[in-house]
Structures are given as C-alpha cells and as structure tokens.
Amino acid sequence: MTNTEARFKTTNSYEEKNDANVFEGSHSDIEKDQPSHDNHGDLHRGLDARQISMIALGGAIGTGLVIGSGTGLARAGPVGLLIAYVIMGSVCFSVMISLGEMATYLPHKKGFSGYLSRFADPALGIALGYNYWFKYLIVTPNNLVAASIVVQYWVSPTKMPVGAWLAIFIALIIVLNFLGVRVFGEVEFWMSLFKVITLTGLIIFGIVVDLGGAPNHDRKGFRYWRDQPFSHYLKTGSLGEFLGVWSAMTTALFAYMGSELVGVTFGEAKNPRKVVPATIKRTFWRLLIFYVGSIFVVGLIVRADDPSLIAANKKSTSAAASPFVVAAQAAGIRVLPQILNACILLFVLSAANSDLYIGSRTIYALAREGKAPAVFLWCNRLGVPYIALGVCSAFCCLAFLSVSSGSKVVFGYFTAMVTIFGAITWMGILFAHIRFMKALKVQGISRDTLPYKAPLQPYAAYTAFVITAIVCFFKGFDSFIPKFNHKTFITNYIGAPVFVIIYLGWKFYHKTSMIPLEEVDLTTGKREFDEDQAMHEEEEAMSNKPLWKKIWEGA
C-alpha cells in the first residue's frame, strides 16, 4: 500500500467518525461531491471566464464605495481614508489569493464552508456556512431597501408607495435567478461592465475637476491634503484622528465586502483550473484602480469638513450622498446627480440579484455536505436549485420592514449586521487556507506543485486574519461613545454569538474535533479536475478561435 493510499484510507475513516449527517437523504456520496439526487438534477457549469472575471469585480461594487466613501472622508480625512482603504484592500487581496489557491487545487460546489470542514473542523465549516448564508439573507433585502430609497430621488412615496417599488424589485431579481446560471452570468457580466465604465468615468471626472477643468476653473491639486489630511471623529486631538481612521477601516471593510462571492461561482465555472487563477490575478489591479483610485480622487476634490458633504451624509443612499455629486455641485455641474442616481439604482439592483444567487448556492452547498436538508439539493433542468432559491427569495420580504420603520433606519441596521457576518467569513477563508498550507507541508506536498501558488504566503494569510479580527472586534466602538447605544451594539456584533452558538452546538452534539494535519484529505476529488483540465486544454489546442474572441473571453 502506497503512502497516498494509506493517507486516503486514514482520512476516510476519520471523516466517517467525525462527520455528521443529521438530515435524511444525506449520504456519503454527497460528501464526495457526487450528487445522490440524480432525479432532481444538479448545478450546471455554465459560467465563462469573462463572466466570472467581471463578476469578481462588479459584484463587490455598490453603495459602500460610491456613497459610503463620503462618510469615511468626513470622519477620517483624505489621507486617513486612503490609508484605511489601502490596508483593507490588502486584506481583501489576501483573502482572494488564499481562496484562489484552495479553489484551484480542489474546485468544488460546497462553497467556503467545504474547505473549512475539510481542512480544519466540520463544526467550524457548518458555522461558517450558515454565517455566510445569514449574511446573504440580510444583504439581499438590504440592497432592495437601498433601491427603494434611491428611486425616491425622482418619485415621492406619496405618488408611488415604497412597498410597490419593493414588490417590483423583488419580482425582478427572482425571475432573473430562476432563468438559470447562463442568463444570470450574462446579466451580471453586462451590469458589472456598466459599473466599471461608471467608476472609470467618475475617476476621470474627479481628475478633470482636480486639475481645474470644471466650469469654475479651480485647480485644487493636493490642497485638501495639506489643509486637513486627517479629521477628528468623536474626540479631539490625536485620539480623534485615530478614531476617524479606525471608523474608516470599518467603512472600507463594508465597501470591499462581497469580493469573495466569486468563490461561490467557481462551482459553476467551466475549466476552473484556468478560470480561477486568471480571475484572482486580475483582482489586484481592479482593487488598486477602482477602489484605491476612487478614494484617492475623492480626497483630492472634496474637503473633509465641507458643509455640503456633512449634509449629504445624512441623506443615506441617494446620489446626493456621494462625494462625487458634492464635487460636481461645487463645480457648477448640475446634470451629474441625475445620471449618478440612475447608476446607483442599477448598482444596488445588480448587487441584490447577485446576493440572491449567492444565498441560494450557499444553502445548496451546505446541503451537499449533508449539513442542511437534502431538499435544498433539488435543481430544475436549468441547473437552478429552486427550493433553495425559493427559501432565500422569501427572506427578501424582510425589505418590507422599511415601510413601517423607515427605510433609512432599517438600511442602517442591515448594513451593520452584514459587516460582522462578512468579516467572520473572511476570517474563515483565511483560517482554512492556513490549515491547507500546514497540511501540505506536513504531508510532504510542495506548494510549488500547485496549479496556482498564491504570492506572499503564508505571511499574507496570517496578517490579514489578525487585521480582520481586530477590526471585527472593535468595529462597534462608537456604540459606547458618547453613551452606550444598545441598538447599534446589537446590530454590530450579533453575528459573533450566532457563529459561536452554531459552532459549539454542532461540535458538542456531534463530538467533532480539529482534524490532525497528517489526516487532512488532500486527494479526494482532485483527479476529476486534473482530467477536466487536461480535456479543456486539449479542446483549446484544437480550436482555432479568432483573436477578437480570445480577447473577449479573457476580458
């Protein structure tokens, strides 16, 4: 018996002892990523490289960047905000390369929780899986509420009730998701492309304004950096400046959140061994250009203490709250608010559409592991897990809470909850990758042999984990200043006890434990994708695609 066979046998016996399938219909073949629900279909691998690549960028772009940057600028100042976005951008990139290394070596349809269950502890995996699912049960209605607020820029609630808009938006995203992954991928590709074009236009607009190209011909340069590089938040002096930057770290975390969602799409990607590394490599430049670039420009064209900016931040999610609009109005450009508001409406609807998709695939992944009822595995002929999608769609009705409680209040509570769920997800991905790298080393497998070797590892994973944990722990500091606010405290931290309760409940009930590194399964399912990769390489070698099509598919 070879070392590999011995390790495989040991791992399987360990998993049989350690795993727990509590729902009827959960079988070992599900654990091996082979569906036992042949009569009910399966997910389709229908997403092309260009679709996944664009979703990787566009899926994360929303109100957090275009509008939330105004709040961050007022609290942290131009330099403080840029520092926060650079730090959290580095963390985001570390999460993506960690996910990319695992997803390229072992692509599967079990989502992030599958890696944590396989490389660490099944209890951690199920806690992370449900944590991520809860995030998307909340963030989907959150974006729908944002859309209802944005549309009020043109139509007063007295003319068109908020509930009517919500019903229209909910029906729209449900229909798009039920049309199958090919339609979803194509819609999200064009919506994401639209986001990229919009952000590019805003960055160019900001540079033109900064250099004096606006109607008022005011050349700003780095004036605001010199006058007030840092703002004071809640306190004066150095403490106030530090709190401002720290608050901006949370703002940046929310803006970057969602970048990891492309990892869920890898389960429906054609030739993931090629698509995943290409997507991850492009992520760095997109984060640098569109996120850090946008924040850099915003700090050049708007003063942190501008009365218009402070007033705009009270207007929540309409275009009036965007620092780009503040700069346009100051420069005498009147038409931009209308255009940007239309863009923001498409931004949030696109985000809601992708959020509903991710939510349904997350509970599907849990069911595939045997950690959720097997009914969530049922798919129609288009490869849509319709039971999972139906349940997630029902939670969209949470958006109707805004009809009675007020859209802005509900939006604020949802946003706080989403941030903590997202931060825990990042830490789960990073911890899974740390365990993956340790298991490779213990079992004598060089990372140089991997299909994609992530740069800066293992240091990037450790550093990103620590930074995310610190930001997560202190993100609700303003709940205590100037006096304790129990509502914001609960919404800021509710995700942490939920994660711990699921983890400890599963761990003690099913007697799971941390899988020893020498027994971590690094082989099951790998051969299938080795053969899949070879098949795709052979097909590409035999195809004679025109140059324009190769560029289009690799865009």
Side-chain angles (χ1 to χ4, degrees):
M1 180 180 293
T2 65
N3 291 336
T4 300
E5 291 172 338
R7 187 184 302 124
F8 178 73
K9 183 176 180 180
T10 303
T11 300
N12 280 347
S13 63
Y14 185 87
E15 286 181 345
E16 289 172 3
K17 177 186 71 175
N18 215 13
D19 192 28
N21 295 325
V22 297
F23 298 106
E24 290 188 16
S26 300
H27 303 291
S28 59
D29 54 350
I30 293 176
E31 282 296 312
K32 296 177 183 177
D33 212 16
Q34 299 299 325
S36 63
H37 50 288
D38 294 334
N39 294 331
H40 300 293
D42 193 11
L43 296 184
H44 292 179
R45 291 190 178 273
L47 291 176
D48 295 326
R50 64 178 178 86
Q51 293 170 334
I52 291 181
S53 179
M54 193 60 70
I55 292 172
L57 172 63
I61 298 174
T63 57
L65 176 62
V66 180
I67 293 177
S69 55
T71 302
L73 179 62
R75 292 180 177 180
V79 176
L81 182 63
L82 183 62
I83 290 173
Y85 266 79
V86 168
I87 292 175
M88 295 313 298
S90 301
V91 170
C92 180
F93 181 65
S94 299
V95 172
M96 294 301 293
I97 59 176
S98 292
L99 176 60
E101 185 167 284
M102 294 186 294
T104 308
Y105 183 75
L106 288 169
H108 64 198
K109 300 176 182 179
K110 299 179 182 179
F112 312 131
S113 62
Y115 292 117
L116 200 54
S117 295
R118 184 164 180 164
F119 302 143
D121 183 345
L124 281 174
I126 189 173
L128 180 67
Y130 277 101
N131 169 86
Y132 199 60
W133 188 47
F134 293 153
K135 173 194 171 185
Y136 281 96
L137 293 182
I138 297 298
V139 75
T140 307
N142 182 52
N143 278 311
L144 292 168
V145 171
S148 72
I149 298 174
V150 171
V151 80
Q152 292 174 36
Y153 185 86
W154 298 296
V155 183
S156 170
T158 57
K159 295 182 179 179
M160 181 77 165
V162 173
W165 285 115
L166 289 172
I168 294 171
F169 296 149
I170 290 173
L172 176 64
I173 65 171
I174 289 176
V175 169
L176 287 175
N177 271 269
F178 268 105
L179 291 177
V181 68
R182 291 183 182 276
V183 174
F184 167 83
E186 203 61 34
V187 169
E188 279 304 303
F189 171 82
W190 290 107
M191 294 292 282
S192 298
L193 181 61
F194 175 78
K195 292 180 184 181
V196 169
I197 293 172
T198 301
L199 270 183
T200 302
L202 289 175
I203 292 173
I204 294 173
F205 159 77
I207 294 173
V208 171
V209 170
D210 182 64
L211 297 177
N216 59 7
H217 301 294
D218 178 19
R219 184 182 177 90
K220 302 177 185 296
F222 286 86
R223 180 193 309 163
Y224 300 147
W225 281 43
R226 294 191 300 267
D227 295 346
Q228 188 184 359
F230 297 94
S231 296
H232 300 90
Y233 179 55
L234 298 176
K235 298 290 185 179
T236 58
S238 299
L239 178 59
E241 293 178 349
F242 173 77
L243 292 178
V245 175
W246 195 259
S247 175
M249 295 273 281
T250 303
T251 301
L253 174 63
F254 178 73
Y256 284 116
M257 203 158 287
S259 298
E260 79 290 336
L261 70 80
V262 71
V264 180
T265 69
F266 292 158
E268 294 175 83
K270 298 177 182 177
N271 192 10
R273 284 278 173 84
K274 178 181 178 182
V275 171
V276 176
T279 300
I280 299 301
K281 290 174 182 177
R282 295 187 188 107
T283 299
F284 172 78
W285 296 108
R286 290 171 176 172
L287 290 175
L288 179 66
I289 295 172
F290 293 109
Y291 282 81
V292 178
S294 296
I295 295 304
F296 174 74
V297 170
V298 162
L300 294 178
I301 60 178
V302 181
R303 286 183 61 90
D305 58 354
D306 190 320
S308 299
L309 178 66
I310 297 172
N313 286 333
K314 299 177 181 179
K315 298 180 181 178
S316 193
T317 59
S318 73
S322 172
F324 289 104
V325 172
V326 173
Q329 291 174 336
I333 303 173
R334 303 300 179 189
V335 71
L336 185 63
Q338 297 281 349
I339 298 174
L340 188 55
N341 205 68
C343 294
I344 291 172
L345 180 60
L346 291 176
F347 276 26
V348 293
L349 288 177
S350 170
N353 184 46
S354 61
D355 293 339
L356 184 58
Y357 167 87
I358 297 300
S360 64
R361 269 50 176 189
T362 300
I363 191 63
Y364 171 92
L366 286 168
R368 198 174 185 97
E369 283 192 276
K371 307 302 192 301
V375 68
F376 289 122
L377 292 168
W378 293 7
C379 297
N380 61 19
R381 62 184 180 82
L382 297 175
V384 177
Y386 56 93
I387 301 296
L389 182 56
V391 171
C392 294
S393 299
F395 277 87
C396 292
C397 294
L398 287 173
F400 288 107
L401 290 172
S402 64
V403 175
S404 59
S405 301
S407 299
K408 295 178 183 178
V409 174
V410 173
F411 179 78
Y413 290 156
F414 281 170
T415 299
M417 287 190 284
V418 166
T419 306
I420 185 69
F421 284 129
I424 292 173
T425 299
W426 280 14
M427 287 190 288
I429 294 171
L430 291 165
F431 183 65
H433 186 231
I434 290 171
R435 290 278 303 178
F436 173 67
M437 290 186 291
K438 286 185 174 181
L440 288 173
K441 184 175 182 180
V442 168
Q443 297 183 24
I445 302 174
S446 172
R447 289 181 60 240
D448 292 329
T449 64
L450 300 181
Y452 167 67
K453 180 182 178 182
L456 307 175
Q457 298 291 3
Y459 311 106
Y462 281 106
T463 303
F465 183 90
V466 171
I467 293 174
T468 306
I470 294 174
V471 173
C472 182
F473 186 80
F474 291 104
K475 69 180 289 291
F477 73 90
D478 47 4
S479 299
F480 300 89
I481 305 174
K483 62 180 181 180
F484 181 68
N485 186 325
H486 68 281
K487 291 182 179 179
T488 58
F489 176 80
I490 292 172
T491 54
N492 270 309
Y493 292 106
I494 191 172
V498 168
F499 180 88
V500 173
I501 290 170
I502 295 174
Y503 167 66
L504 293 179
W506 189 273
K507 187 175 185 67
F508 289 126
Y509 186 80
H510 297 287
K511 304 296 190 293
T512 67
S513 59
M514 193 69 70
I515 302 173
L517 293 174
E518 62 274 9
E519 297 181 14
V520 169
D521 181 7
L522 297 174
T523 57
T524 304
K526 179 176 179 294
R527 186 175 66 179
E528 172 193 349
F529 289 99
D530 289 340
E531 295 172 352
D532 184 59
Q533 180 186 10
M535 179 187 69
H536 281 288
E537 288 177 351
E538 183 178 351
E539 289 177 353
E540 289 189 2
M542 295 175 63
S543 65
N544 295 313
K545 296 179 181 178
L547 179 61
W548 69 267
K549 191 168 185 179
K550 292 180 179 179
I551 295 174
W552 175 254
E553 292 181 348

